[in-house]
Amino acid sequence: MTDTLGHLVTVALADRFGPWANGISEPERTARLRCLRALTHLICGPRGWTLCDTLERAETDPDALVRSVDELGRLPALDRRKILSSFAHLHRRRR
């Protein structure tokens, strides 16, 4: 997706992490989207269906990529914290 970086300009700086980070390859972005989708499915179940659907679409649709960060923000706070803490743990840098 050559258009992805242009779309990511609309994502707030505070939200440019994970699949919304600048400077990552498309295969890495896809892997991060799939990781977030799996975590959302496992943690939220049906409450996370909209986010899961948007994350899946975001693999090929730059507009869905931008929407997905908003969908994540719409989750109840506890669900969002569980997803983000699990994602951060899985993607922490090793020394």
Side-chain angles (χ1 to χ4, degrees):
M1 278 187 277
T2 57
D3 198 32
T4 300
L5 293 179
H7 278 68
L8 287 177
V9 171
T10 62
V11 174
L13 286 174
D15 292 330
R16 291 188 193 171
F17 64 92
W20 306 284
N22 292 334
I24 60 173
S25 67
E26 288 305 310
E28 178 62 21
R29 188 178 315 282
T30 299
R32 292 178 186 195
L33 286 165
R34 289 177 182 176
C35 179
L36 271 175
R37 193 168 95 223
L39 289 169
T40 301
H41 176 72
L42 291 170
I43 292 168
C44 299
R47 292 185 311 277
W49 184 87
T50 303
L51 176 57
C52 286
D53 182 60
T54 307
L55 290 167
E56 183 176 10
R57 292 173 191 269
E59 291 182 26
T60 57
D61 179 358
D63 291 324
L65 181 63
V66 173
R67 282 193 318 273
S68 64
V69 76
D70 295 331
E71 290 297 333
L72 177 64
R74 287 186 186 96
L75 288 177
L78 183 58
D79 287 339
R80 188 172 56 250
R81 282 194 303 264
K82 286 179 180 180
I83 292 167
L84 292 177
S85 65
S86 296
F87 184 83
H89 180 76
L90 292 171
H91 289 86
R92 70 184 183 278
R93 292 184 190 249
R94 307 256 194 265
R95 295 183 190 217

Coordinates of all heavy atoms in Angstrom, one line a residue:
M1 N 0.8 -1.2 0.0 CA 0.0 0.0 0.0 C 0.9 1.2 0.0 O 1.4 1.6 1.0 CB -0.9 0.0 1.3 CG -2.1 -0.8 1.2 SD -3.1 -0.5 2.7 CE -2.4 -1.6 3.8
T2 N 1.1 1.8 -1.1 CA 1.9 3.0 -1.2 C 1.2 4.2 -0.6 O 1.8 5.2 -0.2 CB 2.3 3.3 -2.6 OG1 1.1 3.5 -3.4 CG2 3.2 2.2 -3.2
D3 N -0.1 4.1 -0.5 CA -0.9 5.3 0.0 C -1.0 5.3 1.5 O -1.5 6.2 2.1 CB -2.3 5.2 -0.6 CG -3.1 6.5 -0.5 OD1 -2.4 7.6 -0.5 OD2 -4.3 6.5 -0.3
T4 N -0.6 4.2 2.2 CA -0.8 4.1 3.6 C -0.2 5.2 4.4 O -0.8 5.8 5.3 CB -0.1 2.8 4.1 OG1 -0.8 1.7 3.5 CG2 -0.3 2.6 5.6
L5 N 1.1 5.6 4.1 CA 1.7 6.6 4.9 C 1.0 8.0 4.8 O 0.9 8.7 5.7 CB 3.2 6.8 4.5 CG 4.1 5.6 4.9 CD1 5.5 5.8 4.4 CD2 4.0 5.3 6.4
G6 N 0.5 8.2 3.6 CA -0.3 9.5 3.4 C -1.5 9.5 4.3 O -1.9 10.5 4.9
H7 N -2.2 8.3 4.4 CA -3.4 8.2 5.3 C -3.0 8.3 6.7 O -3.8 8.8 7.5 CB -4.1 6.9 5.0 CG -5.0 6.9 3.8 ND1 -4.5 7.0 2.6 CD2 -6.3 6.9 3.7 CE1 -5.5 7.1 1.7 NE2 -6.7 7.0 2.4
L8 N -1.8 7.8 7.1 CA -1.5 7.8 8.5 C -1.2 9.2 9.1 O -1.1 9.4 10.3 CB -0.2 6.9 8.8 CG -0.5 5.4 8.7 CD1 0.8 4.7 8.8 CD2 -1.5 5.0 9.7
V9 N -1.1 10.2 8.2 CA -0.9 11.6 8.6 C -2.1 12.0 9.4 O -2.0 12.8 10.3 CB -0.7 12.5 7.4 CG1 -0.7 14.0 7.8 CG2 0.6 12.2 6.7
T10 N -3.3 11.4 9.1 CA -4.5 11.8 9.9 C -4.6 11.1 11.2 O -5.4 11.5 12.0 CB -5.7 11.5 9.1 OG1 -5.8 10.1 8.8 CG2 -5.7 12.2 7.7
V11 N -3.7 10.2 11.5 CA -3.7 9.5 12.8 C -2.9 10.4 13.8 O -1.8 10.8 13.5 CB -3.1 8.1 12.7 CG1 -2.9 7.4 14.1 CG2 -3.9 7.2 11.8
A12 N -3.5 10.6 15.0 CA -2.8 11.4 16.0 C -1.4 10.8 16.3 O -1.2 9.6 16.3 CB -3.6 11.5 17.2
L13 N -0.5 11.7 16.6 CA 0.9 11.2 17.0 C 0.9 10.2 18.1 O 1.6 9.3 18.1 CB 1.8 12.4 17.3 CG 2.2 13.3 16.1 CD1 3.0 14.5 16.6 CD2 3.1 12.5 15.2
A14 N 0.0 10.5 19.1 CA -0.1 9.6 20.2 C -0.5 8.2 19.8 O -0.3 7.2 20.6 CB -1.0 10.1 21.3
D15 N -1.2 8.1 18.7 CA -1.7 6.8 18.2 C -0.9 6.1 17.2 O -1.3 5.1 16.6 CB -3.2 7.0 17.7 CG -4.2 7.3 18.7 OD1 -4.0 6.9 19.9 OD2 -5.1 8.1 18.4
R16 N 0.3 6.6 17.0 CA 1.2 6.0 15.9 C 2.1 5.0 16.6 O 3.3 5.2 16.8 CB 2.0 7.1 15.2 CG 1.1 7.9 14.4 CD 1.9 8.9 13.5 NE 1.0 9.9 12.9 CZ 1.4 10.9 12.3 NH1 2.6 11.1 12.1 NH2 0.5 11.8 11.8
F17 N 1.5 3.9 16.9 CA 2.2 2.7 17.5 C 1.6 1.5 16.8 O 0.6 1.5 16.1 CB 2.0 2.6 19.0 CG 0.6 2.4 19.4 CD1 0.1 1.1 19.6 CD2 -0.3 3.5 19.6 CE1 -1.2 0.9 19.9 CE2 -1.6 3.3 19.9 CZ -2.1 2.0 20.1
G18 N 2.2 0.3 17.0 CA 1.7 -0.9 16.5 C 1.6 -0.8 15.0 O 2.5 -0.3 14.3
P19 N 0.4 -1.2 14.4 CA 0.2 -1.1 13.0 C 0.1 0.3 12.4 O 0.2 0.5 11.2 CB -1.1 -1.9 12.8 CG -1.8 -1.8 14.1 CD -0.8 -1.7 15.1
W20 N -0.1 1.3 13.3 CA -0.2 2.6 12.9 C 1.1 3.4 12.9 O 1.2 4.6 12.6 CB -1.2 3.4 13.7 CG -2.5 2.6 13.7 CD1 -3.5 2.6 12.7 CD2 -3.0 1.8 14.8 NE1 -4.5 1.8 13.1 CE2 -4.3 1.3 14.3 CE3 -2.6 1.4 16.0 CZ2 -5.0 0.4 15.1 CZ3 -3.3 0.6 16.8 CH2 -4.5 0.1 16.4
A21 N 2.2 2.7 13.2 CA 3.5 3.3 13.3 C 4.0 3.7 11.9 O 3.7 3.0 10.9 CB 4.5 2.4 14.0
N22 N 4.8 4.8 11.8 CA 5.4 5.1 10.6 C 6.7 4.3 10.4 O 7.3 3.9 11.4 CB 5.8 6.6 10.6 CG 4.6 7.5 10.6 OD1 3.6 7.2 10.1 ND2 4.8 8.7 11.1
G23 N 7.1 4.1 9.2 CA 8.4 3.5 8.9 C 8.4 2.0 9.1 O 9.5 1.4 9.2
I24 N 7.3 1.3 9.1 CA 7.3 -0.2 9.2 C 6.9 -0.7 7.8 O 6.2 -0.1 7.1 CB 6.4 -0.8 10.3 CG1 5.0 -0.4 10.1 CG2 6.9 -0.4 11.7 CD1 4.0 -1.1 11.0
S25 N 7.4 -1.9 7.5 CA 7.1 -2.5 6.2 C 5.7 -3.0 6.2 O 5.0 -3.2 7.2 CB 8.1 -3.7 6.0 OG 7.8 -4.8 6.9
E26 N 5.2 -3.2 5.0 CA 3.8 -3.6 4.9 C 3.6 -5.0 5.5 O 2.6 -5.3 6.1 CB 3.3 -3.6 3.4 CG 3.1 -2.2 2.9 CD 2.1 -1.4 3.8 OE1 1.0 -1.9 4.1 OE2 2.5 -0.3 4.2
P27 N 4.5 -6.0 5.3 CA 4.4 -7.3 5.9 C 4.3 -7.2 7.5 O 3.5 -7.8 8.1 CB 5.6 -8.1 5.5 CG 5.9 -7.5 4.2 CD 5.6 -6.0 4.3
E28 N 5.1 -6.3 8.0 CA 5.1 -6.1 9.5 C 3.8 -5.4 9.9 O 3.2 -5.8 10.9 CB 6.3 -5.2 9.9 CG 6.3 -4.9 11.4 CD 6.5 -6.1 12.3 OE1 6.9 -7.2 11.8 OE2 6.1 -6.0 13.5
R29 N 3.3 -4.5 9.2 CA 2.0 -3.8 9.5 C 0.9 -4.9 9.5 O 0.1 -4.9 10.4 CB 1.7 -2.7 8.5 CG 0.5 -1.9 8.8 CD 0.2 -0.7 7.9 NE 1.4 0.0 7.5 CZ 2.0 1.0 8.2 NH1 1.5 1.2 9.4 NH2 3.0 1.6 7.8
T30 N 0.9 -5.7 8.5 CA -0.1 -6.8 8.4 C 0.0 -7.7 9.6 O -1.0 -8.1 10.2 CB 0.1 -7.6 7.1 OG1 -0.1 -6.7 6.0 CG2 -0.9 -8.7 7.0
A31 N 1.2 -8.1 10.0 CA 1.4 -9.0 11.1 C 0.9 -8.3 12.4 O 0.2 -9.0 13.2 CB 2.9 -9.3 11.3
R32 N 1.1 -7.0 12.6 CA 0.6 -6.3 13.7 C -0.9 -6.2 13.7 O -1.5 -6.3 14.8 CB 1.3 -4.9 13.8 CG 2.8 -5.0 14.1 CD 3.4 -3.6 14.2 NE 4.8 -3.7 14.3 CZ 5.6 -2.7 14.7 NH1 5.1 -1.5 14.9 NH2 6.9 -2.9 14.8
L33 N -1.5 -6.0 12.6 CA -2.9 -5.9 12.5 C -3.5 -7.3 12.9 O -4.5 -7.3 13.6 CB -3.3 -5.5 11.0 CG -3.1 -4.1 10.6 CD1 -3.3 -3.9 9.1 CD2 -4.2 -3.2 11.3
R34 N -2.9 -8.3 12.4 CA -3.5 -9.7 12.7 C -3.3 -10.0 14.2 O -4.2 -10.6 14.8 CB -2.8 -10.7 11.8 CG -3.3 -10.6 10.4 CD -2.6 -11.6 9.5 NE -3.0 -11.4 8.1 CZ -2.6 -12.0 7.1 NH1 -1.6 -12.9 7.2 NH2 -3.1 -11.8 5.9
C35 N -2.2 -9.6 14.8 CA -2.0 -9.8 16.2 C -3.1 -9.0 17.0 O -3.7 -9.6 17.9 CB -0.6 -9.3 16.6 SG -0.2 -9.5 18.4
L36 N -3.3 -7.8 16.7 CA -4.3 -7.0 17.4 C -5.7 -7.6 17.2 O -6.5 -7.7 18.1 CB -4.4 -5.6 16.9 CG -3.4 -4.6 17.6 CD1 -3.5 -3.2 16.9 CD2 -3.8 -4.5 19.0
R37 N -6.0 -8.1 16.0 CA -7.3 -8.8 15.7 C -7.4 -10.0 16.6 O -8.5 -10.2 17.1 CB -7.4 -9.1 14.2 CG -8.8 -9.4 13.8 CD -9.0 -9.5 12.3 NE -8.8 -10.8 11.9 CZ -8.1 -11.2 10.8 NH1 -7.5 -10.3 10.1 NH2 -8.0 -12.5 10.5
A38 N -6.4 -10.8 16.7 CA -6.5 -12.0 17.5 C -6.7 -11.7 18.9 O -7.5 -12.3 19.6 CB -5.2 -12.9 17.3
L39 N -5.9 -10.7 19.4 CA -6.1 -10.3 20.8 C -7.5 -9.8 21.1 O -8.1 -10.1 22.1 CB -5.1 -9.2 21.2 CG -3.6 -9.7 21.3 CD1 -2.7 -8.5 21.4 CD2 -3.5 -10.7 22.5
T40 N -8.0 -9.0 20.2 CA -9.4 -8.4 20.3 C -10.4 -9.5 20.4 O -11.3 -9.5 21.2 CB -9.7 -7.4 19.2 OG1 -8.7 -6.4 19.2 CG2 -11.0 -6.8 19.3
H41 N -10.3 -10.5 19.5 CA -11.2 -11.6 19.4 C -11.2 -12.4 20.8 O -12.2 -12.7 21.3 CB -10.9 -12.5 18.3 CG -11.7 -13.7 18.2 ND1 -13.1 -13.7 17.8 CD2 -11.5 -15.0 18.5 CE1 -13.6 -14.9 17.9 NE2 -12.6 -15.7 18.3
L42 N -10.0 -12.7 21.2 CA -9.8 -13.4 22.5 C -10.3 -12.7 23.7 O -10.9 -13.3 24.6 CB -8.4 -13.9 22.6 CG -7.9 -14.9 21.6 CD1 -6.4 -15.1 21.7 CD2 -8.7 -16.2 21.8
I43 N -10.0 -11.4 23.8 CA -10.3 -10.6 25.0 C -11.7 -10.1 25.0 O -12.4 -10.2 26.0 CB -9.3 -9.4 25.1 CG1 -7.9 -10.0 25.4 CG2 -9.8 -8.4 26.2 CD1 -6.8 -9.0 25.3
C44 N -12.2 -9.7 23.8 CA -13.5 -9.0 23.8 C -14.7 -9.9 23.3 O -15.8 -9.7 23.6 CB -13.5 -7.8 22.9 SG -12.3 -6.6 23.4
G45 N -14.4 -10.9 22.5 CA -15.4 -11.7 22.0 C -16.3 -10.9 21.1 O -15.8 -10.0 20.3
P46 N -17.6 -11.0 21.2 CA -18.6 -10.3 20.3 C -18.5 -8.8 20.5 O -18.8 -8.0 19.6 CB -20.0 -10.8 20.8 CG -19.7 -12.0 21.5 CD -18.3 -12.0 22.1
R47 N -18.1 -8.3 21.7 CA -17.9 -6.8 21.9 C -16.9 -6.2 20.9 O -17.0 -5.0 20.6 CB -17.5 -6.5 23.3 CG -18.5 -6.8 24.3 CD -18.1 -6.3 25.7 NE -16.7 -6.7 26.1 CZ -16.3 -7.9 26.6 NH1 -17.3 -8.8 26.8 NH2 -15.1 -8.1 26.9
G48 N -16.0 -7.0 20.5 CA -14.9 -6.5 19.6 C -15.1 -6.8 18.1 O -14.2 -6.6 17.3
W49 N -16.3 -7.2 17.7 CA -16.5 -7.6 16.3 C -16.2 -6.5 15.4 O -15.6 -6.7 14.3 CB -17.9 -8.2 16.1 CG -18.1 -8.6 14.7 CD1 -17.8 -9.9 14.3 CD2 -18.5 -7.9 13.6 NE1 -18.1 -10.0 12.9 CE2 -18.5 -8.7 12.5 CE3 -19.0 -6.6 13.4 CZ2 -18.9 -8.3 11.2 CZ3 -19.3 -6.2 12.2 CH2 -19.3 -7.0 11.1
T50 N -16.7 -5.3 15.7 CA -16.5 -4.2 14.8 C -15.0 -3.9 14.6 O -14.5 -3.7 13.5 CB -17.2 -2.9 15.2 OG1 -18.6 -3.2 15.4 CG2 -17.1 -1.8 14.3
L51 N -14.3 -3.9 15.7 CA -12.8 -3.6 15.6 C -12.1 -4.8 14.8 O -11.3 -4.5 13.9 CB -12.2 -3.5 17.0 CG -10.7 -3.4 17.0 CD1 -10.2 -2.2 16.2 CD2 -10.2 -3.3 18.4
C52 N -12.5 -6.0 15.1 CA -11.9 -7.1 14.3 C -12.1 -7.0 12.8 O -11.2 -7.2 12.0 CB -12.5 -8.5 14.8 SG -11.9 -9.0 16.5
D53 N -13.4 -6.6 12.5 CA -13.7 -6.5 11.1 C -12.9 -5.4 10.4 O -12.3 -5.5 9.3 CB -15.2 -6.2 10.9 CG -15.6 -6.1 9.5 OD1 -15.4 -7.0 8.7 OD2 -16.1 -5.0 9.1
T54 N -12.8 -4.2 11.1 CA -12.0 -3.1 10.6 C -10.5 -3.4 10.5 O -9.9 -3.1 9.5 CB -12.2 -1.9 11.5 OG1 -13.6 -1.6 11.6 CG2 -11.6 -0.6 10.9
L55 N -10.0 -4.2 11.5 CA -8.6 -4.6 11.4 C -8.3 -5.5 10.2 O -7.3 -5.4 9.6 CB -8.1 -5.3 12.7 CG -8.0 -4.3 13.9 CD1 -7.9 -5.2 15.2 CD2 -6.9 -3.4 13.8
E56 N -9.2 -6.4 10.0 CA -9.1 -7.3 8.8 C -9.1 -6.5 7.5 O -8.3 -6.7 6.6 CB -10.2 -8.3 8.8 CG -10.1 -9.3 7.7 CD -11.1 -10.4 7.7 OE1 -12.1 -10.3 8.5 OE2 -10.9 -11.4 6.9
R57 N -10.0 -5.5 7.4 CA -10.1 -4.7 6.2 C -8.9 -3.8 6.1 O -8.4 -3.5 4.9 CB -11.3 -3.8 6.2 CG -12.6 -4.6 6.1 CD -13.8 -3.7 6.3 NE -15.1 -4.4 6.5 CZ -15.9 -4.7 5.4 NH1 -15.6 -4.3 4.2 NH2 -17.0 -5.4 5.6
A58 N -8.3 -3.4 7.2 CA -7.1 -2.5 7.2 C -5.9 -3.1 6.5 O -5.0 -2.4 6.1 CB -6.8 -2.1 8.6
E59 N -5.9 -4.4 6.4 CA -4.8 -5.1 5.7 C -4.6 -4.6 4.2 O -3.5 -4.6 3.7 CB -4.9 -6.6 5.8 CG -4.7 -7.2 7.1 CD -4.9 -8.7 7.2 OE1 -4.6 -9.3 6.2 OE2 -5.2 -9.2 8.2
T60 N -5.7 -4.3 3.6 CA -5.7 -3.9 2.2 C -6.3 -2.5 2.0 O -6.2 -2.0 0.8 CB -6.4 -4.9 1.3 OG1 -7.8 -5.0 1.8 CG2 -5.7 -6.2 1.4
D61 N -6.9 -1.9 3.0 CA -7.6 -0.6 2.8 C -7.1 0.5 3.7 O -7.3 0.4 4.9 CB -9.1 -0.8 3.1 CG -10.0 0.4 2.9 OD1 -9.4 1.5 2.7 OD2 -11.2 0.3 3.2
P62 N -6.4 1.4 3.2 CA -5.8 2.5 4.0 C -6.8 3.3 4.8 O -6.5 3.7 5.9 CB -5.1 3.4 3.0 CG -4.8 2.6 1.8 CD -6.0 1.6 1.7
D63 N -8.0 3.5 4.3 CA -9.1 4.1 5.1 C -9.5 3.3 6.3 O -9.7 3.9 7.4 CB -10.3 4.4 4.2 CG -10.0 5.5 3.1 OD1 -9.3 6.4 3.4 OD2 -10.6 5.3 2.0
A64 N -9.5 2.0 6.1 CA -9.9 1.1 7.3 C -8.7 1.2 8.3 O -9.0 1.1 9.5 CB -10.1 -0.3 6.8
L65 N -7.5 1.3 7.8 CA -6.4 1.4 8.8 C -6.6 2.6 9.7 O -6.4 2.5 10.9 CB -5.1 1.5 8.0 CG -3.8 1.6 8.8 CD1 -3.6 0.3 9.7 CD2 -2.6 1.8 7.9
V66 N -6.9 3.7 9.1 CA -7.2 4.9 9.9 C -8.4 4.7 10.8 O -8.3 5.1 12.0 CB -7.3 6.2 9.0 CG1 -7.7 7.4 9.8 CG2 -6.0 6.4 8.2
R67 N -9.4 4.2 10.3 CA -10.7 3.9 11.1 C -10.4 3.0 12.3 O -11.0 3.1 13.3 CB -11.8 3.4 10.2 CG -12.5 4.4 9.4 CD -13.8 3.8 8.8 NE -13.8 2.5 8.3 CZ -13.4 2.1 7.0 NH1 -13.0 3.1 6.2 NH2 -13.4 0.9 6.7
S68 N -9.5 2.0 12.1 CA -9.3 1.0 13.1 C -8.7 1.6 14.4 O -9.1 1.1 15.5 CB -8.3 -0.1 12.6 OG -7.0 0.4 12.3
V69 N -7.9 2.6 14.3 CA -7.4 3.2 15.6 C -8.6 3.9 16.3 O -8.7 3.9 17.5 CB -6.3 4.2 15.3 CG1 -6.7 5.5 14.7 CG2 -5.5 4.4 16.6
D70 N -9.6 4.5 15.6 CA -10.7 5.0 16.2 C -11.6 4.0 16.8 O -12.2 4.1 17.9 CB -11.6 5.8 15.2 CG -10.8 7.1 14.7 OD1 -10.0 7.6 15.4 OD2 -11.0 7.5 13.5
E71 N -11.8 2.8 16.1 CA -12.5 1.7 16.6 C -11.9 1.2 17.9 O -12.7 0.8 18.9 CB -12.7 0.6 15.6 CG -13.5 0.9 14.4 CD -15.0 1.1 14.8 OE1 -15.5 0.6 15.8 OE2 -15.6 1.9 14.0
L72 N -10.6 1.1 18.0 CA -9.9 0.7 19.2 C -10.3 1.7 20.4 O -10.6 1.2 21.5 CB -8.4 0.6 19.0 CG -7.6 0.3 20.2 CD1 -7.9 -1.1 20.7 CD2 -6.1 0.4 19.9
G73 N -10.3 2.9 20.1 CA -10.7 3.9 21.1 C -12.1 3.9 21.6 O -12.4 4.4 22.6
R74 N -13.0 3.2 20.8 CA -14.4 3.1 21.1 C -14.7 2.0 22.1 O -15.8 1.9 22.6 CB -15.3 3.0 19.9 CG -15.4 4.3 19.1 CD -16.4 4.1 18.0 NE -16.4 5.3 17.1 CZ -15.6 5.5 16.0 NH1 -14.9 4.5 15.6 NH2 -15.7 6.6 15.3
L75 N -13.7 1.1 22.2 CA -13.9 -0.1 23.1 C -14.0 0.4 24.6 O -13.5 1.4 24.9 CB -12.8 -1.0 23.0 CG -12.6 -1.9 21.8 CD1 -11.4 -2.7 21.8 CD2 -13.9 -2.8 21.6
P76 N -14.7 -0.4 25.4 CA -14.7 0.0 26.8 C -13.2 0.0 27.4 O -12.4 -0.7 26.9 CB -15.5 -1.2 27.5 CG -16.3 -1.7 26.4 CD -15.5 -1.5 25.1
A77 N -13.0 0.9 28.3 CA -11.6 1.1 28.8 C -10.9 -0.1 29.2 O -9.7 -0.3 28.9 CB -11.6 2.1 29.9
L78 N -11.6 -1.0 29.9 CA -10.9 -2.2 30.4 C -10.5 -3.1 29.3 O -9.4 -3.7 29.2 CB -11.8 -3.0 31.4 CG -11.2 -4.2 32.1 CD1 -9.9 -3.9 32.8 CD2 -12.2 -4.9 33.0
D79 N -11.4 -3.3 28.3 CA -11.1 -4.1 27.1 C -9.9 -3.5 26.4 O -8.9 -4.2 26.0 CB -12.2 -4.2 26.1 CG -13.4 -5.1 26.6 OD1 -13.1 -6.0 27.5 OD2 -14.5 -4.9 26.2
R80 N -9.9 -2.2 26.2 CA -8.8 -1.5 25.5 C -7.5 -1.7 26.2 O -6.5 -2.0 25.6 CB -9.2 -0.1 25.3 CG -8.2 0.7 24.4 CD -8.7 2.1 24.1 NE -8.9 2.9 25.3 CZ -10.1 3.3 25.7 NH1 -11.2 2.9 25.0 NH2 -10.3 4.0 26.8
R81 N -7.5 -1.5 27.5 CA -6.3 -1.7 28.3 C -5.7 -3.1 28.2 O -4.5 -3.4 28.1 CB -6.5 -1.3 29.8 CG -6.5 0.2 30.0 CD -6.4 0.5 31.5 NE -7.5 -0.1 32.3 CZ -8.6 0.5 32.6 NH1 -8.8 1.7 32.2 NH2 -9.5 -0.1 33.4
K82 N -6.6 -4.1 28.3 CA -6.2 -5.5 28.2 C -5.5 -5.8 26.8 O -4.5 -6.5 26.7 CB -7.3 -6.5 28.4 CG -7.8 -6.5 29.9 CD -9.0 -7.5 30.0 CE -9.4 -7.6 31.4 NZ -10.6 -8.5 31.5
I83 N -6.2 -5.3 25.8 CA -5.6 -5.5 24.4 C -4.3 -4.8 24.3 O -3.3 -5.4 23.8 CB -6.6 -5.0 23.4 CG1 -7.9 -5.8 23.3 CG2 -5.9 -4.9 22.0 CD1 -9.0 -5.2 22.5
L84 N -4.2 -3.6 24.7 CA -2.9 -2.8 24.5 C -1.8 -3.4 25.4 O -0.7 -3.4 24.9 CB -3.2 -1.3 24.8 CG -4.1 -0.6 23.8 CD1 -4.3 0.8 24.2 CD2 -3.5 -0.7 22.4
S85 N -2.1 -3.8 26.6 CA -1.1 -4.3 27.4 C -0.6 -5.7 26.9 O 0.6 -6.0 26.9 CB -1.5 -4.5 28.9 OG -2.5 -5.4 29.0
S86 N -1.5 -6.5 26.4 CA -1.1 -7.8 25.8 C -0.2 -7.5 24.5 O 0.8 -8.2 24.3 CB -2.3 -8.6 25.4 OG -3.0 -9.0 26.6
F87 N -0.7 -6.6 23.7 CA 0.1 -6.3 22.5 C 1.5 -5.7 22.8 O 2.5 -6.1 22.2 CB -0.7 -5.2 21.7 CG -0.1 -4.9 20.3 CD1 -0.3 -5.7 19.2 CD2 0.8 -3.8 20.2 CE1 0.3 -5.4 18.0 CE2 1.4 -3.5 19.0 CZ 1.1 -4.3 17.9
A88 N 1.5 -4.8 23.8 CA 2.8 -4.3 24.2 C 3.8 -5.4 24.7 O 5.0 -5.4 24.5 CB 2.6 -3.2 25.3
H89 N 3.2 -6.3 25.5 CA 4.0 -7.4 26.0 C 4.6 -8.3 24.9 O 5.7 -8.6 24.9 CB 3.2 -8.3 27.0 CG 4.0 -9.4 27.6 ND1 4.9 -9.2 28.6 CD2 4.0 -10.7 27.3 CE1 5.4 -10.4 28.9 NE2 4.9 -11.3 28.1
L90 N 3.8 -8.6 23.9 CA 4.2 -9.4 22.8 C 5.2 -8.7 21.9 O 6.0 -9.3 21.3 CB 3.0 -9.8 22.0 CG 2.0 -10.8 22.6 CD1 0.8 -11.0 21.8 CD2 2.7 -12.1 22.9
H91 N 5.2 -7.4 21.9 CA 6.0 -6.6 21.0 C 7.1 -5.8 21.7 O 7.7 -4.9 21.1 CB 5.2 -5.7 20.1 CG 4.4 -6.4 19.1 ND1 3.2 -7.0 19.3 CD2 4.7 -6.8 17.8 CE1 2.7 -7.6 18.3 NE2 3.6 -7.5 17.3
R92 N 7.4 -6.1 22.9 CA 8.4 -5.4 23.6 C 9.8 -5.7 23.0 O 10.0 -6.8 22.5 CB 8.4 -5.7 25.1 CG 8.9 -7.1 25.4 CD 8.7 -7.4 26.9 NE 9.2 -8.7 27.3 CZ 8.5 -9.9 27.2 NH1 7.3 -9.8 26.7 NH2 9.1 -11.0 27.5
R93 N 10.7 -4.8 23.1 CA 12.0 -5.0 22.5 C 12.8 -5.8 23.5 O 12.8 -5.6 24.7 CB 12.7 -3.6 22.3 CG 12.0 -2.8 21.3 CD 12.8 -1.5 21.0 NE 12.0 -0.7 20.2 CZ 12.3 -0.4 18.9 NH1 13.5 -0.8 18.5 NH2 11.6 0.4 18.2
R94 N 13.5 -6.8 22.9 CA 14.4 -7.6 23.7 C 15.8 -7.0 23.7 O 16.2 -6.4 22.8 CB 14.5 -9.0 23.0 CG 13.2 -9.6 22.8 CD 12.9 -10.7 23.8 NE 11.8 -11.6 23.4 CZ 10.6 -11.4 23.8 NH1 10.3 -10.4 24.6 NH2 9.6 -12.2 23.5
R95 N 16.4 -7.1 24.8 CA 17.8 -6.5 25.0 C 18.8 -7.6 24.6 O 18.8 -8.7 24.7 CB 18.0 -6.0 26.3 CG 17.1 -4.8 26.6 CD 17.4 -4.3 27.9 NE 16.3 -3.3 28.2 CZ 16.5 -2.2 28.8 NH1 17.7 -1.9 29.3 NH2 15.5 -1.4 29.0

